[in-house]
Amino acid sequence: MFSKMNKVKTTSEKSLTNSSRIVGLLAQLEKINSESLLVEADTARYVTSKILHLTQSQEKTRKEMTAKGSPAIEVILSTLENTRDLQTTLNILNILIELVSVGGGRKASALVSKGGTQILLQLLLSASKDSPPNEELMVQLHSLLAKIGPKDKKFGVKARICGTLNISLNLVKQSLQNHRLILPCLQVLRVYSTNSVNAVSLGKNGVVELMFKIIGPFSKKNTGLMKVALDTLAALLKSKTNARRAVDRGYVHVLLTSYVDWHRHDSRHRHMLIRKGILQCIKSVTNIKLGRKAFIDANGMKILYNTSQDCLAVRTLDPLVNTSSLIMRKCFPKNRLPLPTIKSVFRFQLPVIPISGPVAQLYSLPPEVDDVVDESDDNDDIETESEIENENEDDKDHLFKNDDIETDINKLKPRQELGRPIEELKMYEQFFPELSDNFKDYDLVFKEPKPFASDANLGGPIVVPTAGEEQSVEANHSVMGITVKESNHLQAEECNKRPVFLDLPKNDRNKDNSLQQQSDQKKLLSSCQCLNFEIVKGLDRITLQNTSKNEQYYKTGCVMKKESKTSLTSLTCNKPCQHVSSCGSVLFEGRSVQLGKLCFTGVDPEEEDDSSSHSSGEQVILEVPDILPLHDPDLYIEIVKNTKSVPEYSEVAYPDYFGHIPPPFKEPILERPYGVQRTKISQDIERLIHQNDIIDRVMYDLDNPSYSVPEEGEILKFNSKFESGNLRKVIQIRKNEYDLILNSDINSNHYHQWFYFEVSGMRPGIGYRFNVINCEKSNSQFNYGMQPLMYSVQEALNSRPWWTRVGTDICYYKNHFARSSIAAGGQKGKSYYTITFTVNFPHKDDVCYFAYHYPYTYSTLRMHLQKLESMHNPQQIYFRQDTLCETLSGNSCPLVTITAMPESNYFEHICQFRNRPYIFLTARVHPGETNASWVMKGTLEYLMSNNPTSQSLRESYIFKIVPMLNPDGVINGNHRCSLSGEDLNRQWQNPNPDLHPTIYHSKGLLQYLAAIKRLPLVYCDYHGHSRKKNVFMYGCSIKETVWHTNVSAASCDLIEDLGYRGLQIGTRELEEMGAKFCVGLLRLKRLTSPLEFNLPSCLLDIENELIESSCKVTSPTTYVLDEDEPRFLEEVDYSAESNDEQDIELADNAGDYEPSVQEEGLSDSEMTRTHLP
């Protein structure tokens, strides 16, 4: 015990002694610095040698000297600045090297902050004047400068001002054989060269030529020096002047030869860093057009392709493969899209041509101008002395200023004027009959009104009423219904008819109902009650649970039946084989509309045992399942007849005709295979290297309608001539690989993203690769697990009528097709992007449809609205459908009003009805964001359902809904614009009634409500996002909230449903979102009407089940701007034309790993969005 205590005491005393010694030595050194006359050099030399010994031998001493508040570095730097003794100088340099080497970057930064850079550079300048300069001093000085230089942002500027650039360069020139000296000198030159002005200055003094004297063929000697020389050269060649000098002297060929030599001899891969250094030099020099041409002329594509293929088997060589891939993509000659023009293949003459903007420029282009590609895609070869490099075009999204979120308090003050005269706004009075209707034409249930509070003031603020007592379904059947008008009689009669199209089986009960309707009014009421009961059962199927029950309503399925006769309206087939023909039969008189091709081998044997019994020549009737309460194929066809499209479509896609249900399983995000993008890029490069292997045959071309594809059994057939379809051209590249080109928005020359097309003629067990080659966005969720959608007609016939996520080897990357400056807003050198995916079809000769997201056509909306109108319970629900306006092509824009019927036509009940606050909802201003329509469908169905929360919402609010703001864009397969060629969501400020009628009149509705002092309590616009997951929203800024309400804005809660995480969101989830949004409005009711707190407990229970608070975010705006996805590593490939340095470090990492850096902020910002999953 005593011995142990002694040991502890001895250690403590030793530690104290060491601490005291370094403090004492520093004090002595400080005293020497303060002497007006320098003491003998021996004293300073002795003290610094002691400090050096302690620094080298004791870690505690190093920590103490670099601790916060320690004066050690200042004292040492001061001594270095004042001493003239060589040994003292060397001692101090060694001390600083020791401190910086052990402490890392933080210690180097501390040295820079205390003025170390200037002192060392001044010392270098002084030492260079000695003849000859002291070698040891130069080695130590350059070693220290190489360590602190990268931590000093102004290091290059300081060196240039101090005049030390050429000192290091001359030392290298004079000491090529002295590897100990030139190694730290090269390290310093590398740091100097990161400044573009320095690189140009050094290049003029022969630094590039000097580096190539050091770089040579494979050798096991001096590999460290070779690596530093390559790193220095790569930094120097980032200067366009130096790159041009290297090209002029034939150094591109030298680099390639050297790389092949190292690749061949480094069989054990011990010198990967040298091989990578050579690639970095090639990468830098090919940033200019001359460098790329020299690379191609030196057969660089084939060299790097072959060497990278050799490296694929060794995972540790991935940095070489990745860098080689980047270089090859950058040097791949830019191709033009194989199109006559990038303008849409369809033409629509506008009633008014805008004076300015992209549409005006489009119309002003001379017809002889080639708008597909420019003469040159390189605008970065203009050299300036400043050598200021342009930022990477794809990274500008990070600095994107979101114009949709206003944060300037001076701009947030609401305008007092309406913008349009009140006399003009009176035209919108017709869309608000609920504010004037006294319901005298309705025999409402007589019910005593609830007494108003004694201080109630009808002229005062609007108070949201509490939901009344909920009536059960059984009670509704016993209540006397209202006497409807003749139009309602016709609707009721129409909705009870069973569709006869395609000989659908009729329901006997509905036959009876139809007969009762034709008899007398009493039977009409009985029929309506029966219908209401059916609708209650149908709408009760709408569930917010994740588990689908749809499959239980789909028991009969689709079957093939043999008939001796068929009606004229039947889908028939007379092809003399067991395959159903590619018929496209006319389905009705008048305007002809056809179903797409139906090619299949019959139902699978496991699904239908007698499928093989179909004999040649037999006619086949295709039965369409009656499984969807809001889908009616007959009605859909009738609506399509009246839908006006620019191409005048005469075909109907099967998924839109059949309808579809969500699959009975969840579809998780696809896990991305390692290196998939690299493999796809390699296959693209093979097109250039092995050109004879490319078929290059046009398979589908809207620009050449007369083009006929040869009838061969091994090729696919394509079609997009139906509503919302988008596919312009298809080119067969290899036997099972096809390039697909999308059509631009009408009256536009860009916005390519949305696709929807038909494929037939496939064979099972074959992987077909599809490449959509003219996308424009810089990134996509296809890089993060999203898959395209496929609908199989054969599967639908086998009782599986759903869209499914399909495809493997999916990625999204920049390709070698150039975008013209006309299509890129005046910017040259931009490229298109490719979506690539591989699909194995399950059936032979099937007909399949592919889509970017779940299609939702304009005709589908019209069908759903008509079904909702015919199916609703008029005793409870006030439902009205108006035509807000006509679009440019003459289609109607629906406006829907939903609320609860007044309890009676008593004055108090009518007043309560009229005083309900308005909720204004819109969707689908961007046609490609189809998920917005599915969310809107969920909202509409929830508002029309008979559950208690829906009734409470209807009793609380009047819903004004424009479910599709851009019908023309949706019909014609646009991605972003209307027929005016403009983004309608950017026209709200000053809409033109001739060019933007739907926006003009939607804004007119809001202006009318403002004029009558009935501004909506909520306005929500449904959108989609192509690069964010899940569902999210943002709205007015907190400042704007404060401005409008004059109250302190508490932080909002964003509620996230964790059930969506890891899933590819389907129509079930999208409709849930629409329903849950409605439930959120129920919560808003309690917040805006604190006196209305007495909701039935059952409603609160239902609400809590639907929305579970699991995530609280104090700043919703910040939350939305945080991208869920990190940067994708292979995104460095996107910057193929860039001279940015950011991808140098990324290239050190192997493979497809995703660094944890935040993605870009929102590029398309709207009030409320549901994201394209």
Side-chain angles (χ1 to χ4, degrees), residues 25-155:
L25 291 171
L26 289 172
Q28 290 183 50
L29 200 57
E30 188 173 12
K31 184 178 180 182
I32 293 172
N33 294 335
S34 64
E35 296 287 342
S36 57
L37 295 175
L38 289 177
V39 298
E40 293 183 6
D42 292 343
T43 307
R45 192 180 307 152
Y46 172 78
V47 174
T48 53
S49 66
K50 290 294 183 183
I51 295 176
L52 176 60
H53 174 73
L54 290 173
T55 305
Q56 291 176 334
S57 60
Q58 297 180 7
E59 182 181 356
K60 184 174 182 182
T61 299
R62 295 191 294 268
K63 289 183 178 180
E64 184 176 350
M65 291 182 67
T66 55
K68 189 175 181 180
S70 172
I73 293 180
E74 289 94 331
V75 172
I76 292 172
L77 288 175
S78 177
T79 306
L80 180 63
E81 192 173 15
N82 294 327
T83 187
R84 296 294 179 265
D85 180 66
L86 177 61
Q87 189 59 48
T88 302
T89 301
L90 290 173
N91 288 342
I92 293 176
L93 291 176
N94 281 302
I95 291 170
L96 293 175
I97 290 173
E98 195 69 33
L99 294 178
V100 171
S101 299
V102 177
R106 187 171 60 86
K107 306 303 181 187
S109 299
L111 188 58
V112 170
S113 66
K114 299 181 187 303
T117 303
Q118 292 89 332
I119 295 173
L120 292 173
L121 290 173
Q122 193 61 45
L123 177 61
L124 176 60
L125 184 63
S126 301
S128 67
K129 295 177 181 179
D130 296 338
S131 184
N134 184 278
E135 178 181 325
E136 184 65 26
L137 178 59
M138 286 301 180
V139 170
Q140 301 300 331
L141 193 51
H142 279 87
S143 298
L144 185 57
L145 284 171
K147 292 180 181 297
I148 70 169
K151 300 300 177 182
D152 189 345
K153 295 180 181 179
K154 300 293 184 181
F155 184 78

Side-chain angles (χ1 to χ4, degrees), residues 389-396 399 1138 1140:
E389 308 291 354
N390 293 326
E391 291 184 12
N392 174 15
E393 63 191 49
D394 293 321
D395 288 336
K396 289 185 178 179
L399 305 176
S1138 168
D1140 282 3

Side-chain angles (χ1 to χ4, degrees), residues 1112-1170:
K1112 292 189 177 181
V1113 183
T1114 57
S1115 176
T1117 302
T1118 303
Y1119 176 79
V1120 170
L1121 291 178
D1122 286 343
E1123 185 66 55
D1124 337 33
E1125 298 299 346
R1127 265 188 178 281
F1128 189 62
L1129 175 95
E1130 291 182 327
E1131 201 173 349
V1132 299
D1133 291 344
Y1134 300 165
S1135 56
E1137 289 78 29
S1138 168
N1139 293 322
D1140 282 3
E1141 301 174 21
Q1142 64 178 9
D1143 54 346
I1144 294 178
E1145 295 300 324
L1146 287 176
D1148 293 337
N1149 303 306
D1152 295 355
Y1153 126 98
E1154 300 172 356
S1156 58
V1157 184
Q1158 286 188 344
E1159 238 277 7
E1160 68 268 34
L1162 293 178
S1163 61
D1164 309 315
S1165 39
E1166 323 298 351
M1167 290 189 64
T1168 295
R1169 298 168 169 249
T1170 57

